[in-house]
Amino acid sequence: QDNRVSIWSAGDLGNAALNGEYHGEPHLLCDIEHNGDVMDMQFLDQERIVVASSTGAVTIFRHHQNNQTLSANHQWEKAHYHVDQDTSCGGAACTGVVCNNPEIVTVGEDGRINLFRADQKDAVRTIDNADSSTLHAVTFLRTTEILTVNSIGQLKIWDLRQQRNEPSQIFSLAGDRVPLHCVDRHPNQQHIVATGGQDGMLSIWDIRQGAMPVSLLNAHEAEMWEVHFHPSDPDHLFTCSEDGSLWHWDTSTNVSEKPSFFHQGGRSTAYLSHSTINQSVVSAWLSNDPTKDRMEITNLIPNQTLSVNSLDVLGPCLVYGTDAEAIYVNRQLFA
């Protein structure tokens, strides 16, 4: 009932002992009340955080580092709504937000896409009927293009320079219209995109060709809630799921030398489906060379039973949040 946005300090990496072990408790720096469930959030810059609410509101909170407080800096109250913006109960959940300062893009259950600027009161652009189904997540493809995923298994590209309210490309999963919940694009090779959905499968797409995924990888036993390429080492990918698992997918070249097996919490070698695409760019994610079709998968939390709802990764650090009402920080990803 009572929701909050909180800022924590996970301590200074300088505190790590010589053996790499970290000493120091994470502690709460500040928090602030939030109306509705927090559906998504992202830093806009060093001080500002954009938060998506189940009420349909999108709020920018400012973190004042001098006195460690949070304040509401700006709010678009009914960014997402079902009937009309004036109906008190007509709010539709804002399901995803992505920032490229000063621009903010939001998507929601109402199938609407909004483009806001942090310094402007009204939306710069709204695509009202962008989708007939719920949009679950959004990310930037380039500075002027975004990717969205929806509840009928489609991945769409939108060019924000175009005035028409149609996607420039639509991709979809074959057969069953399995809802897609999350999307991330490869940090260096912008044509490679990963999505995850209701059935726990990981899909890898090459948006330069074909309307179908290049490969479908069996992953989790329940919904995949988040997928992230490592921002500086994109041979590594991380996914988390309702089934309580968090997987580290490693396609780096030395994988073939490692012994691989997969058992609860063990490691595995997954064989990617072979695509018939001409590989102009050598990426392990799109590889159709059988010797390279190896990938090591490690479940980083083998005994967890409650849903892992969210994750983020930077350098050697992984942070994730679970239904155990806890946030975990793993500082030794590549140890």
Side-chain angles (χ1 to χ4, degrees), residues 243-299:
D243 68 8
S245 59
L246 192 162
W247 285 14
H248 173 190
W249 306 70
D250 179 358
T251 65
S252 55
T253 45
N254 59 350
V255 167
S256 49
E257 287 114 58
K258 298 179 189 169
S260 288
F261 57 91
F262 191 52
H263 203 62
Q264 278 313 104
R267 299 192 146 145
S268 103
T269 304
Y271 288 87
L272 303 190
S273 60
H274 295 282
S275 56
T276 51
I277 299 174
N278 165 31
Q279 294 305 324
S280 52
V281 175
V282 180
S283 165
W285 294 109
L286 302 181
S287 169
N288 63 355
D289 167 2
T291 58
K292 288 209 185 78
D293 275 2
R294 294 202 132 198
M295 180 183 301
E296 186 175 60
I297 304 165
T298 312
N299 183 5

Side-chain angles (χ1 to χ4, degrees), residues 19 64 113 219 228 293 319:
N19 58 1
H64 305 273
I113 298 174
H228 275 300
D293 275 2
V319 59

Side-chain angles (χ1 to χ4, degrees), residues 9 18 79 84 91 96 108 119 121 200 206 210 225 244 247 263 296:
S9 162
L18 291 175
D84 60 76
D119 49 7
K121 189 165 150 297
D206 181 346
W225 292 131
W247 285 14
H263 203 62
E296 186 175 60

Side-chain angles (χ1 to χ4, degrees), residues 38-324:
V38 174
M39 304 296 286
D40 197 9
M41 58 182 172
Q42 197 174 53
F43 277 97
L44 177 67
D45 55 26
Q46 291 291 84
E47 294 186 338
R48 291 177 296 176
I49 307 145
V50 181
V51 182
S53 171
S54 59
T55 65
V58 175
T59 311
I60 301 179
F61 291 102
R62 186 178 287 277
H63 175 212
H64 305 273
Q65 293 169 359
N66 51 355
N67 61 356
Q68 292 304 343
T69 56
L70 272 166
S71 65
N73 181 241
H74 186 75
Q75 184 175 66
W76 293 280
E77 199 175 336
K78 286 271 181 75
H80 294 274
Y81 53 91
H82 282 305
V83 193
D84 60 76
Q85 272 178 305
D86 305 325
T87 316
S88 60
C89 58
C94 176
T95 50
V97 55
V98 65
C99 304
N100 187 10
N101 193 8
E103 297 190 321
I104 299 162
V105 176
T106 70
V107 296
E109 277 181 5
D110 52 359
R112 199 172 261 108
I113 298 174
N114 291 307
L115 173 62
F116 296 111
R117 281 183 72 99
D119 49 7
Q120 291 182 18
K121 189 165 150 297
D122 297 318
V124 178
R125 172 98 188 269
T126 294
I127 305 178
D128 271 329
N129 299 309
D131 216 300
S132 56
S133 64
T134 296
L135 288 166
H136 282 142
V138 59
T139 192
F140 275 99
L141 185 59
R142 298 183 183 79
T143 49
T144 55
E145 284 184 305
I146 56 166
L147 286 165
T148 59
V149 291
N150 69 13
S151 59
I152 54 171
Q154 292 173 322
L155 171 67
K156 296 182 181 180
I157 299 178
W158 304 82
D159 187 337
L160 298 174
R161 292 165 302 189
Q162 301 288 337
Q163 281 314 301
R164 57 196 192 95
N165 295 339
E166 304 288 326
S168 51
Q169 277 178 281
I170 300 178
F171 304 85
S172 55
L173 294 168
D176 302 336
R177 300 195 147 201
V178 178
L180 291 172
H181 289 301
C182 51
V183 58
D184 196 27
R185 75 154 171 79
H186 193 288
N188 314 334
Q189 297 178 24
Q190 294 178 337
H191 54 278
I192 301 175
V193 174
T195 63
Q198 187 97 34
D199 56 1
M201 297 278 278
L202 172 65
S203 308
I204 306 291
W205 312 70
D206 181 346
I207 60 171
R208 298 169 306 180
Q209 39 213 333
M212 314 259 289
V214 176
S215 49
L216 286 168
L217 300 163
N218 271 312
H220 304 278
E221 287 166 25
E223 293 90 343
M224 186 188 293
W225 292 131
E226 195 111 58
V227 56
H228 275 300
F229 284 101
H230 192 288
S232 54
D233 196 352
D235 284 347
H236 300 267
L237 178 94
F238 299 84
T239 58
C240 65
S241 167
E242 180 72 27
D243 68 8
S245 59
L246 192 162
W247 285 14
H248 173 190
W249 306 70
D250 179 358
T251 65
S252 55
T253 45
N254 59 350
V255 167
S256 49
E257 287 114 58
K258 298 179 189 169
S260 288
F261 57 91
F262 191 52
H263 203 62
Q264 278 313 104
R267 299 192 146 145
S268 103
T269 304
Y271 288 87
L272 303 190
S273 60
H274 295 282
S275 56
T276 51
I277 299 174
N278 165 31
Q279 294 305 324
S280 52
V281 175
V282 180
S283 165
W285 294 109
L286 302 181
S287 169
N288 63 355
D289 167 2
T291 58
K292 288 209 185 78
D293 275 2
R294 294 202 132 198
M295 180 183 301
E296 186 175 60
I297 304 165
T298 312
N299 183 5
L300 298 179
I301 34 177
N303 304 321
Q304 168 80 358
T305 52
L306 296 168
S307 175
V308 185
N309 301 319
S310 188
L311 74 92
D312 206 356
V313 59
L314 186 68
C317 287
L318 169 76
V319 59
Y320 56 96
T322 78
D323 273 357

